[in-house]
Amino acid sequence: MKLLIADNYTALSQQAAADLIKLAGNEKAPLVCPATGDTPAGLYKVLVDKVNNKEVDISCWHFLGLDEWVGMNGEDEGSCRFHLNNQLLFPLQVASDNIIFFDGRANNLQEECSKTEAFIRQQGTIDISVLGLGMNGHIGMNEPGTAIDTRSHVGELDAETQKVGQKYFNTAQRLTAGITLGLGTLMESKHILLLISGAHKAAIVKKALEGAISEKVPGSLLRNHPSLRIYLDKEAAQLLAF
Ligand code: F6R
């Protein structure tokens, strides 16, 4: 596990973007799994700028959506796909053939999960997962208590996720379930970049990085990954002992 404690969010985003680009450069057709959320938005902006400046060519990259609210897809303002479209996929002009994303409005959500797992198998593996950490320690929509070997699945959302998730929407939403890549699926990624920013995350950072490795804090399970890079800013790192 490599830990970077950046001076601020801008430095965190720049370093994570540089590492993502370098790691993706080692692959012919990298499969990248980008999380939605506030934390990776800075990284996505750096990547978009570099692509626009022709410093990076992402035309061979494939993008695999990490998760979606059940009952929503890209048509829904505030959905995971909606935010990722606006922050990353539209500005990068990613071809639709190079995107696979859960449709949380699909009638058969189990089929969505099977399709996604089959796509990953067909590609070989996820090359790089860019992840964030929830206030309750969740990864994607793998809530506390999710088993380490879980594949893509539909799960009930923790009360805290239901509450915190309101920030993505203009009006109050009922967010009861999510469809997500599983922890087992994510642990098979070649590389994991975990980005965490802000004083509000300091307590959960301490639990995830210095507490017991336990399903109670899904983020702590990532410590067993052979190629995990963690990017914190000083605020998020402030309670760490080292
Ligand atoms: C969203 C996702 C979530 C977020 C987490 C942190 O696709 O996977 O697990 O990464 O909730 O969100 P932010 O970055 O907004 O604090």
Side-chain angles (χ1 to χ4, degrees), residues 22-44:
K22 190 158 176 245
L23 292 170
N26 296 333
E27 308 298 331
K28 255 198 207 137
L31 178 59
V32 176
C33 169
T36 318
D38 293 333
T39 320
L43 181 168
Y44 300 154

Side-chain angles (χ1 to χ4, degrees), residues 118-150:
F119 173 81
I120 298 169
R121 277 198 303 277
Q122 179 202 321
Q123 297 286 315
T125 184
I126 302 172
D127 291 300
I128 306 140
S129 289
V130 177
L131 305 176
L133 183 70
M135 292 294 290
N136 60 358
H138 73 200
I139 294 290
M141 294 191 192
N142 292 279
E143 297 287 38
T146 308
I148 178 68
D149 56 355
T150 317

Side-chain angles (χ1 to χ4, degrees), residues 8-64:
N8 52 47
Y9 177 67
T10 305
L12 175 161
S13 303
Q14 281 166 345
Q15 187 59 55
D19 290 349
L20 169 62
I21 291 164
K22 190 158 176 245
L23 292 170
N26 296 333
E27 308 298 331
K28 255 198 207 137
L31 178 59
V32 176
C33 169
T36 318
D38 293 333
T39 320
L43 181 168
Y44 300 154
K45 168 117 192 18
V46 174
L47 180 62
V48 167
D49 288 347
K50 285 189 185 294
V51 170
N52 287 340
N53 293 336
K54 309 229 178 308
E55 291 168 53
V56 182
D57 177 9
I58 55 93
S59 53
C60 62
W61 293 26
H62 288 71
F63 293 86
L64 168 69

